[in-house]
Amino acid sequence: MTDFSNIEYLKNGNKRQIQAFEVLTQNEILFNLNEFNPILVGTIPINIDIENSDLDIICYWKNKTNFIEKLKASFEDQSEFKIRETDINNEETIIANFRVDNFDIEIFGQNIPTKNQNGYKHMIIEHQILEEKGENFRLEIIKLKQNGYKTEPAFAFLLGLKGNPYLELLDFNFTI
């Protein structure tokens, strides 16, 4: 199983994964977030990204104000920088967005350890499903995403899951 907590795996990936590695390392994005246990999640790490997919980085903050200050100090000079506070699943959430080279970057922070956040859990489950179902399934996911589906709903559709796709994926039972 890939260790997604360390982006070294991207160096041996496809063209887009290699570009992501270069952008993240050359701009010291994860380095600047190191105290918040950052993990790159989403579609690029598991090779189901489409042309406009962004780099999603989840973070674990214990002090919201400190996290916001660090985001501003590290990234507010980046193109299209914006930051907002919101509530997701009854959890205080800080989201920062900006653009570096040809990547939109979203930093998502909650007061939840990163490996316990739904973004990480979804990616791990999706990765396991892709490993089990193979290349044709991966290509079908990409096709659905190109036709406007979000990632979790695309998986739910192909797997025949009913109800909220974000919750259903967390409870998915593997046949492995």
Side-chain angles (χ1 to χ4, degrees):
M1 173 85 152
T2 303
D3 175 11
F4 290 106
S5 64
N6 181 335
I7 64 167
E8 289 292 313
Y9 68 91
L10 293 173
K11 290 195 296 191
N12 300 313
N14 62 35
K15 181 180 176 187
R16 187 112 160 120
Q17 289 171 328
I18 293 167
Q19 290 172 339
F21 177 82
E22 290 170 356
V23 164
L24 292 171
T25 53
Q26 290 169 4
N27 294 281
E28 298 185 332
I29 293 169
L30 297 179
F31 176 80
N32 285 322
L33 297 168
N34 197 44
E35 67 190 278
F36 306 106
N37 194 24
I39 299 177
L40 179 67
V41 298
T43 60
I44 291 173
I46 59 174
N47 193 23
I48 56 169
D49 55 297
I50 59 176
E51 185 178 338
N52 62 349
S53 293
D54 61 0
L55 293 173
D56 295 306
I57 301 166
I58 59 172
C59 293
Y60 169 39
W61 51 261
K62 295 176 185 156
N63 180 312
K64 179 176 72 170
T65 303
N66 180 42
F67 182 62
I68 292 169
E69 288 172 359
K70 181 68 173 188
L71 289 173
K72 288 179 179 176
S74 299
F75 306 115
E76 72 180 345
D77 292 338
Q78 298 291 344
S79 175
E80 302 174 38
F81 178 84
K82 60 182 181 268
I83 190 168
R84 64 188 168 98
E85 294 184 45
T86 190
D87 188 89
I88 298 179
N89 298 327
N90 297 316
E91 293 292 337
E92 281 187 290
T93 304
I94 308 301
I95 300 173
N97 299 89
F98 53 92
R99 188 159 180 80
V100 176
D101 296 336
N102 57 341
F103 284 99
D104 287 321
I105 297 178
E106 180 170 280
I107 299 172
F108 180 98
Q110 291 183 323
N111 187 13
I112 299 173
T114 46
K115 288 187 176 181
N116 294 337
Q117 290 184 28
N118 285 345
Y120 180 79
K121 291 178 183 179
H122 284 149
M123 181 182 70
I124 295 301
I125 291 166
E126 291 159 2
H127 177 67
Q128 291 171 329
I129 293 168
L130 291 166
E131 293 285 306
E132 178 185 311
K133 300 285 187 185
E135 182 66 5
N136 287 339
F137 186 88
R138 184 183 77 81
L139 294 174
E140 286 297 314
I141 292 289
I142 291 171
K143 191 180 300 179
L144 287 172
K145 289 177 61 57
Q146 289 170 332
N147 288 320
Y149 274 74
K150 294 284 192 188
T151 303
E152 287 76 6
F155 273 86
F157 176 78
L158 288 182
L159 295 169
L161 302 178
K162 305 296 181 210
N164 181 327
Y166 298 89
L167 298 176
E168 293 298 318
L169 264 181
L170 293 174
D171 293 331
F172 186 74
N173 291 317
F174 291 94
T175 57
I176 297 174

